[in-house]
Structure formats: C-alpha cells, structure tokens
Coordinates of all heavy atoms in Angstrom, one line a residue:
M1 N 9.6 9.1 5.1 CA 10.4 7.8 5.2 C 11.9 8.2 4.9 O 12.1 8.9 3.9 CB 9.9 6.7 4.2 CG 10.8 5.6 4.2 SD 10.2 4.3 2.9 CE 10.8 5.0 1.4
Y2 N 12.8 7.7 5.7 CA 14.2 7.9 5.4 C 14.7 7.0 4.3 O 14.5 5.9 4.4 CB 15.0 7.7 6.7 CG 14.9 8.8 7.6 CD1 14.1 8.7 8.8 CD2 15.6 10.0 7.5 CE1 14.0 9.8 9.7 CE2 15.5 11.1 8.4 CZ 14.7 10.9 9.5 OH 14.5 12.0 10.3
V3 N 15.3 7.6 3.3 CA 16.0 6.9 2.3 C 17.5 6.7 2.6 O 18.0 5.7 2.4 CB 15.7 7.6 0.9 CG1 16.5 6.9 -0.2 CG2 14.3 7.7 0.6
C4 N 18.0 7.8 3.0 CA 19.5 7.8 3.3 C 19.6 8.0 4.9 O 19.4 9.1 5.4 CB 20.2 8.9 2.6 SG 22.0 9.0 3.0
V5 N 19.9 6.9 5.5 CA 20.1 7.0 7.0 C 21.3 7.7 7.4 O 21.4 8.4 8.3 CB 20.0 5.5 7.6 CG1 20.2 5.5 9.0 CG2 18.7 4.8 7.2
C6 N 22.4 7.6 6.6 CA 23.7 8.2 7.0 C 23.6 9.7 7.1 O 24.1 10.3 8.0 CB 24.7 7.8 5.9 SG 25.1 6.1 5.9
Y7 N 22.7 10.3 6.2 CA 22.6 11.8 6.2 C 21.2 12.2 6.5 O 20.8 13.4 6.5 CB 23.0 12.3 4.8 CG 24.5 12.3 4.7 CD1 25.1 11.4 3.9 CD2 25.3 13.2 5.2 CE1 26.5 11.3 3.7 CE2 26.7 13.2 5.1 CZ 27.3 12.2 4.3 OH 28.6 12.2 4.2
G8 N 20.3 11.3 6.9 CA 19.0 11.6 7.3 C 18.2 12.4 6.2 O 17.4 13.3 6.5
V9 N 18.2 11.7 5.0 CA 17.5 12.3 3.9 C 16.3 11.5 3.7 O 16.3 10.3 3.6 CB 18.4 12.3 2.6 CG1 17.7 12.9 1.5 CG2 19.7 13.0 2.9
T10 N 15.1 12.3 3.6 CA 13.8 11.6 3.4 C 13.4 11.5 1.9 O 14.0 12.3 1.1 CB 12.7 12.3 4.1 OG1 12.6 13.6 3.6 CG2 13.2 12.4 5.7
D11 N 12.4 10.7 1.7 CA 11.9 10.7 0.3 C 11.3 12.0 -0.2 O 11.3 12.3 -1.3 CB 10.9 9.5 0.2 CG 9.7 9.6 1.2 OD1 9.9 10.3 2.3 OD2 8.6 9.0 0.9
K12 N 10.6 12.7 0.8 CA 10.0 14.0 0.5 C 11.1 15.0 0.1 O 10.9 15.8 -0.8 CB 9.2 14.6 1.6 CG 8.0 13.8 1.8 CD 7.2 14.3 3.0 CE 6.0 13.6 3.3 NZ 5.2 13.9 4.4
Q13 N 12.3 15.0 0.7 CA 13.4 15.8 0.4 C 13.9 15.6 -1.0 O 14.2 16.5 -1.9 CB 14.5 15.8 1.4 CG 14.2 16.4 2.7 CD 15.3 16.1 3.7 OE1 15.6 15.0 4.1 NE2 16.1 17.2 4.1
I14 N 14.0 14.3 -1.4 CA 14.5 13.9 -2.7 C 13.5 14.3 -3.8 O 13.9 14.9 -4.8 CB 14.8 12.3 -2.7 CG1 16.0 12.1 -1.8 CG2 15.0 11.9 -4.1 CD1 16.2 10.6 -1.6
K15 N 12.2 14.0 -3.5 CA 11.2 14.4 -4.5 C 11.1 15.9 -4.7 O 11.1 16.3 -5.9 CB 9.8 13.9 -4.0 CG 8.7 14.1 -4.9 CD 7.4 13.6 -4.4 CE 6.3 13.9 -5.4 NZ 5.0 13.7 -4.9
Q16 N 11.3 16.6 -3.7 CA 11.3 18.1 -3.7 C 12.5 18.6 -4.5 O 12.3 19.5 -5.4 CB 11.2 18.8 -2.4 CG 11.0 20.3 -2.4 CD 11.0 20.8 -1.0 OE1 11.5 20.3 -0.1 NE2 10.3 21.9 -0.9
A17 N 13.6 18.1 -4.3 CA 14.8 18.5 -5.0 C 14.8 18.1 -6.5 O 15.2 19.0 -7.3 CB 16.0 17.8 -4.4
V18 N 14.3 17.0 -6.8 CA 14.0 16.6 -8.3 C 13.1 17.6 -9.0 O 13.3 18.0 -10.0 CB 13.6 15.1 -8.4 CG1 13.3 14.8 -9.8 CG2 14.7 14.2 -7.8
E19 N 12.0 17.8 -8.2 CA 11.0 18.8 -8.8 C 11.6 20.1 -9.0 O 11.1 20.9 -9.9 CB 9.8 18.9 -7.9 CG 8.9 17.6 -8.0 CD 7.8 17.6 -6.9 OE1 7.8 18.4 -6.0 OE2 7.0 16.7 -7.0
Q20 N 12.6 20.5 -8.3 CA 13.2 21.8 -8.4 C 14.4 21.8 -9.2 O 15.2 22.8 -9.3 CB 13.6 22.4 -7.0 CG 12.4 22.7 -6.1 CD 12.7 23.1 -4.7 OE1 13.8 22.9 -4.3 NE2 11.7 23.6 -4.0
G21 N 14.7 20.6 -9.9 CA 15.7 20.7 -11.0 C 16.9 19.7 -10.8 O 17.7 19.7 -11.7
A22 N 17.0 19.1 -9.7 CA 18.1 18.1 -9.4 C 17.7 16.8 -10.1 O 17.1 16.0 -9.6 CB 18.3 17.9 -8.0
M23 N 18.0 16.7 -11.4 CA 17.6 15.6 -12.2 C 18.5 14.4 -12.2 O 18.3 13.4 -12.9 CB 17.3 16.1 -13.6 CG 16.3 17.1 -13.7 SD 14.7 16.3 -13.4 CE 13.6 17.7 -13.8
D24 N 19.7 14.4 -11.5 CA 20.5 13.2 -11.5 C 21.1 13.1 -10.1 O 21.0 14.0 -9.2 CB 21.5 13.4 -12.6 CG 22.4 14.6 -12.4 OD1 22.6 15.2 -11.3 OD2 22.9 15.1 -13.5
L25 N 21.8 12.0 -9.9 CA 22.4 11.6 -8.6 C 23.4 12.7 -8.2 O 23.4 13.2 -7.0 CB 23.0 10.3 -8.5 CG 23.5 9.8 -7.3 CD1 22.5 9.7 -6.2 CD2 24.2 8.4 -7.4
K26 N 24.2 13.1 -9.1 CA 25.3 14.1 -8.8 C 24.7 15.4 -8.2 O 25.2 16.0 -7.2 CB 26.1 14.4 -10.0 CG 27.4 15.1 -9.7 CD 28.2 15.2 -11.0 CE 29.5 16.0 -10.8 NZ 30.3 16.1 -12.0
S27 N 23.6 15.9 -8.8 CA 23.0 17.1 -8.3 C 22.3 17.0 -7.0 O 22.4 17.8 -6.1 CB 21.8 17.5 -9.3 OG 22.3 17.8 -10.6
L28 N 21.7 15.8 -6.8 CA 21.2 15.5 -5.5 C 22.2 15.3 -4.3 O 22.0 15.9 -3.3 CB 20.4 14.2 -5.4 CG 19.0 14.2 -6.0 CD1 18.3 12.9 -5.9 CD2 18.1 15.1 -5.1
Q29 N 23.3 14.8 -4.7 CA 24.4 14.7 -3.7 C 25.0 16.1 -3.4 O 25.3 16.3 -2.3 CB 25.5 13.7 -4.3 CG 25.2 12.3 -4.4 CD 26.2 11.4 -5.0 OE1 27.0 11.8 -5.8 NE2 26.3 10.2 -4.5
A30 N 25.0 17.0 -4.3 CA 25.5 18.3 -4.1 C 24.6 19.1 -3.1 O 25.0 19.8 -2.3 CB 25.6 19.0 -5.4
Q31 N 23.3 18.7 -3.2 CA 22.3 19.4 -2.3 C 22.1 18.7 -1.0 O 22.0 19.4 0.1 CB 20.9 19.5 -3.0 CG 20.9 20.5 -4.2 CD 19.5 20.5 -4.8 OE1 18.5 20.4 -4.0 NE2 19.4 20.8 -6.0
L32 N 22.0 17.4 -1.0 CA 21.5 16.6 0.2 C 22.6 15.7 0.7 O 22.3 15.1 1.8 CB 20.2 15.9 -0.2 CG 19.1 16.7 -0.7 CD1 18.0 15.8 -1.2 CD2 18.5 17.6 0.3
N33 N 23.6 15.5 0.0 CA 24.7 14.5 0.5 C 24.2 13.0 0.3 O 25.0 12.1 0.7 CB 25.2 14.8 1.9 CG 26.0 16.0 1.9 OD1 26.8 16.3 1.0 ND2 26.0 16.7 3.0
V34 N 23.1 12.8 -0.2 CA 22.5 11.4 -0.3 C 23.5 10.5 -1.0 O 24.0 10.9 -2.1 CB 21.1 11.4 -0.9 CG1 21.1 11.9 -2.4 CG2 20.5 10.1 -0.9
G35 N 23.7 9.4 -0.4 CA 24.6 8.3 -1.1 C 26.1 8.6 -0.9 O 26.9 7.9 -1.5
K36 N 26.5 9.5 -0.2 CA 28.0 9.9 -0.1 C 28.7 9.1 0.9 O 30.0 9.2 0.9 CB 28.1 11.4 0.1 CG 27.9 12.3 -1.1 CD 28.3 13.7 -0.8 CE 28.7 14.5 -2.1 NZ 29.0 15.9 -1.7
Q37 N 28.0 8.4 1.7 CA 28.9 7.6 2.7 C 28.9 6.2 2.5 O 29.8 5.7 1.8 CB 28.3 7.9 4.1 CG 29.2 7.5 5.2 CD 28.9 8.1 6.5 OE1 28.5 9.2 6.6 NE2 29.2 7.4 7.6
C38 N 27.9 5.4 2.9 CA 27.9 4.0 2.6 C 27.5 3.6 1.2 O 27.8 2.5 0.7 CB 27.1 3.2 3.7 SG 25.3 3.3 3.5
G39 N 26.6 4.4 0.7 CA 26.1 4.2 -0.7 C 24.9 3.2 -0.9 O 24.4 2.8 -1.9
K40 N 24.4 2.7 0.4 CA 23.3 1.7 0.3 C 22.0 2.3 -0.2 O 21.1 1.6 -0.6 CB 23.1 1.2 1.7 CG 24.2 0.2 2.2 CD 23.9 -0.4 3.5 CE 25.0 -1.4 3.9 NZ 24.7 -1.9 5.2
C41 N 21.9 3.6 -0.2 CA 20.7 4.3 -0.6 C 20.7 4.7 -2.1 O 19.7 5.2 -2.5 CB 20.4 5.5 0.3 SG 21.9 6.6 0.1
V42 N 21.8 4.5 -2.8 CA 21.9 5.0 -4.2 C 20.9 4.4 -5.1 O 20.2 5.0 -5.8 CB 23.3 4.7 -4.7 CG1 23.5 5.0 -6.1 CG2 24.3 5.6 -4.0
R43 N 20.6 3.0 -5.0 CA 19.7 2.3 -5.9 C 18.3 2.9 -5.7 O 17.6 3.3 -6.7 CB 19.7 0.9 -5.7 CG 18.9 0.1 -6.8 CD 19.0 -1.3 -6.7 NE 18.1 -1.7 -5.5 CZ 18.2 -2.9 -4.9 NH1 19.1 -3.8 -5.2 NH2 17.4 -3.1 -3.9
D44 N 17.9 3.0 -4.4 CA 16.5 3.6 -4.1 C 16.4 5.0 -4.6 O 15.4 5.5 -5.1 CB 16.2 3.5 -2.6 CG 16.0 2.1 -2.1 OD1 15.7 1.2 -3.0 OD2 16.1 1.8 -1.0
T45 N 17.5 5.8 -4.4 CA 17.5 7.2 -4.8 C 17.4 7.3 -6.3 O 16.6 8.1 -6.8 CB 18.8 7.9 -4.4 OG1 18.8 7.8 -2.9 CG2 18.8 9.4 -4.7
L46 N 18.1 6.5 -7.1 CA 18.0 6.5 -8.5 C 16.5 6.1 -8.9 O 16.1 6.7 -9.9 CB 18.9 5.5 -9.1 CG 20.4 6.0 -9.0 CD1 21.4 4.9 -9.6 CD2 20.7 7.2 -9.8
E47 N 16.0 5.2 -8.3 CA 14.6 4.8 -8.6 C 13.6 6.0 -8.3 O 12.7 6.3 -9.1 CB 14.1 3.6 -7.8 CG 14.8 2.3 -8.3 CD 14.5 1.1 -7.4 OE1 13.7 1.2 -6.6 OE2 15.0 0.0 -7.7
M48 N 13.8 6.6 -7.2 CA 13.0 7.8 -6.9 C 13.1 8.9 -7.9 O 12.2 9.6 -8.2 CB 13.3 8.4 -5.4 CG 12.8 7.4 -4.4 SD 12.9 8.2 -2.8 CE 11.8 9.5 -3.0
I49 N 14.4 9.2 -8.3 CA 14.6 10.2 -9.4 C 13.9 9.9 -10.6 O 13.1 10.7 -11.2 CB 16.2 10.4 -9.7 CG1 16.9 10.9 -8.5 CG2 16.3 11.3 -10.9 CD1 18.4 10.9 -8.6
A50 N 13.9 8.7 -11.1 CA 13.2 8.3 -12.3 C 11.7 8.4 -12.1 O 11.1 8.9 -13.0 CB 13.6 6.8 -12.7
A51 N 11.2 7.9 -11.0 CA 9.7 8.0 -10.7 C 9.2 9.4 -10.7 O 8.2 9.7 -11.3 CB 9.4 7.2 -9.5
T52 N 10.0 10.3 -10.0 CA 9.6 11.6 -9.9 C 9.7 12.3 -11.2 O 8.8 13.2 -11.6 CB 10.5 12.4 -8.8 OG1 10.4 11.7 -7.6 CG2 10.0 13.8 -8.6
K53 N 10.7 12.0 -11.9 CA 10.9 12.8 -13.3 C 9.7 12.3 -14.2 O 9.2 13.2 -15.1 CB 12.2 12.3 -14.0 CG 13.4 13.1 -13.4 CD 14.7 12.5 -13.8 CE 15.0 12.6 -15.3 NZ 16.4 12.2 -15.5
D54 N 9.2 11.1 -14.1 CA 8.1 10.6 -14.9 C 6.8 11.4 -14.6 O 5.9 11.5 -15.4 CB 7.9 9.1 -14.7 CG 8.9 8.3 -15.4 OD1 9.6 8.8 -16.3 OD2 8.9 7.1 -15.1
M55 N 6.7 11.9 -13.3 CA 5.6 12.6 -12.9 C 5.6 14.1 -13.3 O 4.6 14.8 -13.2 CB 5.3 12.5 -11.4 CG 5.0 11.0 -11.1 SD 4.9 10.7 -9.3 CE 3.2 11.5 -9.1
I56 N 6.8 14.6 -13.7 CA 6.8 16.1 -14.1 C 6.4 16.1 -15.6 O 6.9 15.4 -16.4 CB 8.3 16.5 -13.8 CG1 8.7 16.4 -12.4 CG2 8.5 17.9 -14.4 CD1 10.2 16.7 -12.2
P57 N 5.4 17.0 -15.8 CA 5.0 17.2 -17.2 C 6.0 17.7 -18.1 O 6.9 18.6 -17.7 CB 3.8 18.2 -17.1 CG 3.9 18.8 -15.7 CD 4.8 17.9 -14.9
N58 N 6.1 17.1 -19.3 CA 7.0 17.6 -20.3 C 6.3 18.6 -21.2 O 5.3 18.2 -21.8 CB 7.5 16.3 -21.1 CG 8.6 16.7 -22.1 OD1 8.6 17.9 -22.5 ND2 9.4 15.8 -22.5
Y59 N 6.7 19.8 -21.1 CA 5.9 20.9 -21.9 C 5.9 20.6 -23.4 O 5.0 21.0 -24.0 CB 6.5 22.2 -21.5 CG 6.3 22.5 -20.0 CD1 7.3 22.4 -19.1 CD2 5.0 22.8 -19.5 CE1 7.2 22.7 -17.8 CE2 4.8 23.1 -18.2 CZ 5.8 23.0 -17.3 OH 5.7 23.2 -16.0
Y60 N 6.8 20.0 -23.9 CA 6.9 19.7 -25.3 C 5.8 18.7 -25.6 O 5.2 18.7 -26.7 CB 8.2 19.2 -25.8 CG 9.4 20.2 -25.7 CD1 10.3 20.0 -24.8 CD2 9.3 21.3 -26.5 CE1 11.3 21.1 -24.5 CE2 10.3 22.3 -26.4 CZ 11.3 22.2 -25.4 OH 12.2 23.2 -25.3
E61 N 5.5 17.7 -24.7 CA 4.5 16.8 -25.0 C 3.1 17.4 -24.8 O 2.1 17.0 -25.5 CB 4.6 15.6 -24.0 CG 5.9 14.7 -24.3 CD 6.0 13.6 -23.2 OE1 5.0 13.4 -22.4 OE2 7.0 12.8 -23.3
V62 N 3.0 18.4 -23.9 CA 1.7 19.0 -23.7 C 1.3 19.9 -24.9 O 0.1 19.9 -25.3 CB 1.7 19.8 -22.4 CG1 0.5 20.6 -22.2 CG2 2.0 18.9 -21.2
A63 N 2.2 20.5 -25.4 CA 1.9 21.5 -26.5 C 1.5 20.8 -27.8 O 1.7 19.8 -28.0 CB 3.1 22.4 -26.8
Ligands
FES101 S1 22.4 5.4 3.6 FE1 22.8 6.9 2.2 S2 25.0 7.1 2.3 FE2 24.4 5.5 3.7

C-alpha cells in the first residue's frame, strides 16, 4: 500500500527502513523522501514508525 503518493513510498519500504535503523522521520526522509513534498503522509508515517519500533525486540528487555 502506498503511504506517500508524492514519492511512491510503500508501507513495506517504511517498515523495512525502520527495521534497518531509520528510527525517526528525519532518517526516513533521508532514505525515502517520504513526507518531503505535500506532507499529507507524515502522520501515517509517524504511526508506522512507532508501530514498527514496538515490534522490534529490545535486547535489554530480553536479557
Ligand atoms: S504524500 Fe508524502 S509528501 Fe505528499
């Protein structure tokens, strides 16, 4: 599903970038340009960042 229509960024691309270390909007914008034009996708992108971060195991909690 497209999250950012302006740059053709999908939810899978955002999820993958967060899993690889892009933990905030600025990092995602540097990689994917998401939210850099009209900005309508920023809120959904922030929600996806938070949801994906919640699914990444915190090694301090596991140990
Ligand atoms: S929809 Fe993402 S910048 Fe316009």
Side-chain angles (χ1 to χ4, degrees):
M1 173 183 82
Y2 283 101
V3 175
C4 179
V5 178
C6 293
Y7 287 100
V9 180
T10 66
D11 56 340
K12 289 181 182 176
Q13 288 175 294
I14 292 172
K15 184 178 178 192
Q16 184 178 30
V18 173
E19 288 172 347
Q20 292 174 350
M23 295 291 185
D24 56 26
L25 183 61
K26 191 174 180 180
S27 300
L28 275 178
Q29 287 177 327
Q31 287 185 32
L32 304 172
N33 288 325
V34 61
K36 279 186 156 179
Q37 191 161 328
C38 73
K40 288 182 179 177
C41 58
V42 169
R43 190 178 73 199
D44 289 341
T45 301
L46 290 172
E47 289 175 4
M48 289 193 63
I49 292 171
T52 305
K53 282 166 71 173
D54 284 348
M55 295 180 71
I56 297 173
N58 184 338
Y59 295 106
Y60 294 109
E61 291 178 5
V62 174

